[in-house]
């Protein structure tokens, strides 16, 4: 197993359980103690985990931590592509849809080229850019306006007021985290208010969130788990999370990431 493959396995285990022991990784990976420790050093230097005595733990994030768009855009790329492809299959021609800000909804925007006669409402500058670049004459893009956040979302009273007068068939919602008690959350208070206005405008709510979002909690709840008519995530979602979400959301869709299982085998 190559170093990057070992490190992918280690990261996945940390995200799944919250902590790993060097001794357990030695057995699982079939390598020496020193090799495991070097892998942990590499991952810690990149800020992906925290080293502790005898092992490592997940990075403890604050509920107000908000990475910028560029930082988030390079995370979980295969998962986001798979999720976006599945989500695009839920979009019907001739409908009015909403896309919140976020890198997964931005990825979804790139999958909408073949769907005719859409009206797309968004508070994301990045999403609007993608849709406008297509030059489609059968597509209307409505950008809400508002104050710009680190995620390139437009938020605040102007955005909220614009959304309160609209009625959308489906809203696709990107989130910072999802958890059993806190629901779908964001680290930005202003963004949560605008996202809630999007949810209120929706006939159906489809949440897009890769498996690493499970267990992450932002400062503000956008929606409870049972407010999602559909949650599109990926097959990396832990079994315990599948059980919880399967009971709470209307429909749980697990997108397959090509090559995922083979790469880590």
């Amino acid at each position: 197993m190559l170093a990057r493959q070992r490190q992918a396995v280690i990261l996945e285990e940390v995200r799944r359980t919250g902590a790993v022991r060097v001794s357990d990784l030695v057995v699982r990976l079939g390598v020496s103690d020193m090799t495991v420790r070097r892998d942990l050093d590499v991952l810690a230097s990149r800020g992906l985990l925290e080293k502790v005595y005898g092992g490592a733990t997940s990075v403890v994030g604050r509920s107000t931590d908000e990475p910028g768009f560029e930082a988030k855009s390079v995370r979980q790329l295969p998962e986001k592509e798979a999720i976006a492809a599945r989500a695009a299959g839920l979009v019907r021609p001739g409908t009015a849809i909403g896309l919140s800000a976020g890198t997964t909804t931005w990825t979804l925007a790139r999958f909408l080229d073949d769907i005719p006669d859409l009206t797309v409402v968004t508070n994301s500058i990045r999403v609007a850019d993608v849709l406008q670049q297509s030059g489609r004459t059968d597509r209307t893009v409505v950008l809400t306006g508002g104050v710009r956040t680190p995620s390139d979302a437009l938020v605040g009273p102007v955005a909220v007021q614009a959304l309160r007068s609209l009625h959308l068939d489906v809203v696709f919602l990107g989130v910072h985290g999802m958890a059993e008690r806190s629901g779908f959350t964001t680290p930005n208070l202003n963004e949560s208010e605008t996202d809630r206005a999007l949810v209120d405008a929706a006939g159906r709510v489809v949440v897009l969130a890769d498996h690493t979002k499970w267990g992450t909690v932002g400062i503000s709840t956008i929606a409870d788990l049972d407010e999602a008519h559909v949650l599109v995530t990926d097959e990396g979602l832990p079994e315990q999370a599948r059980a919880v979400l399967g009971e709470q959301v209307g429909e749980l869709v697990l997108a397959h990431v090509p090559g995922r299982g083979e790469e880590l085998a």
Side-chain angles (χ1 to χ4, degrees):
M1 188 180 292
L2 299 174
R4 64 179 181 83
Q5 294 174 315
R6 292 196 308 271
Q7 290 160 16
V9 172
I10 292 170
L11 266 185
E12 188 64 28
E13 187 65 14
V14 169
R15 287 170 178 156
R16 187 178 68 83
T17 64
V20 291
R21 294 179 182 275
V22 171
S23 57
D24 293 336
L25 292 173
V26 167
V27 174
R28 177 172 179 180
L29 299 172
V31 295
S32 70
D33 180 281
M34 287 303 298
T35 297
V36 169
R37 292 185 187 278
R38 281 196 297 269
D39 286 337
L40 295 181
D41 285 338
V42 169
L43 294 170
S45 70
R46 293 163 56 192
L48 298 175
L49 52 73
E50 293 183 358
K51 286 190 68 180
V52 297
Y53 182 77
T57 63
S58 59
V59 177
V60 179
R62 296 170 297 179
S63 62
T64 55
D65 283 344
E66 184 179 11
F69 185 92
E70 299 300 338
K72 291 188 291 185
S73 67
V74 297
R75 299 176 181 175
Q76 281 74 52
L77 294 180
E79 287 86 351
K80 289 174 182 176
E81 292 276 342
I83 290 168
R86 289 295 298 270
L90 303 176
V91 180
R92 297 290 176 260
T95 55
I97 67 173
L99 269 67
S100 75
T103 53
T104 311
T105 48
W106 170 71
T107 304
L108 170 60
R110 290 152 41 206
F111 280 82
L112 300 180
D113 274 351
D114 295 332
I115 304 173
D117 193 24
L118 287 181
T119 296
V120 183
V121 175
T122 184
N123 68 321
S124 169
I125 297 169
R126 303 285 187 140
V127 167
D129 283 346
V130 169
L131 296 172
Q132 295 284 28
Q133 286 169 12
S134 70
R136 294 277 295 270
T137 58
D138 61 339
R139 178 173 298 156
T140 302
V141 180
V142 179
L143 191 59
T144 62
V147 179
R148 191 169 179 166
T149 71
S151 297
D152 283 345
L154 297 175
V155 302
V158 172
V160 171
Q161 187 59 38
L163 291 168
R164 282 179 177 162
S165 63
L166 299 177
H167 305 281
L168 304 173
D169 296 301
V170 185
V171 162
F172 294 89
L173 184 69
V175 299
H176 174 74
M178 53 182 175
E180 185 171 6
R181 293 181 60 186
S182 53
F184 301 108
T185 59
T186 174
N188 188 298
L189 288 170
N190 290 326
E191 199 163 329
S192 70
E193 184 181 12
T194 305
D195 283 345
R196 279 196 290 269
L198 264 173
V199 169
D200 290 343
R204 297 181 76 220
V205 176
V206 179
V207 176
L208 311 181
D210 69 76
H211 72 279
T212 66
K213 303 294 180 69
W214 178 252
T216 298
V217 178
I219 192 173
S220 182
T221 295
I222 303 166
D224 293 331
L225 296 182
D226 61 8
E227 292 182 73
H229 295 86
V230 182
L231 168 61
V232 186
T233 184
D234 63 88
E235 293 176 325
L237 190 72
E239 290 297 332
Q240 181 264 346
R242 296 187 190 194
V244 172
L245 292 166
E247 292 182 357
Q248 294 288 322
V249 303
E251 180 183 0
L252 179 62
V253 176
L254 300 175
H256 173 64
V257 181
R260 180 189 179 91
E262 295 88 343
E263 180 178 312
L264 299 182

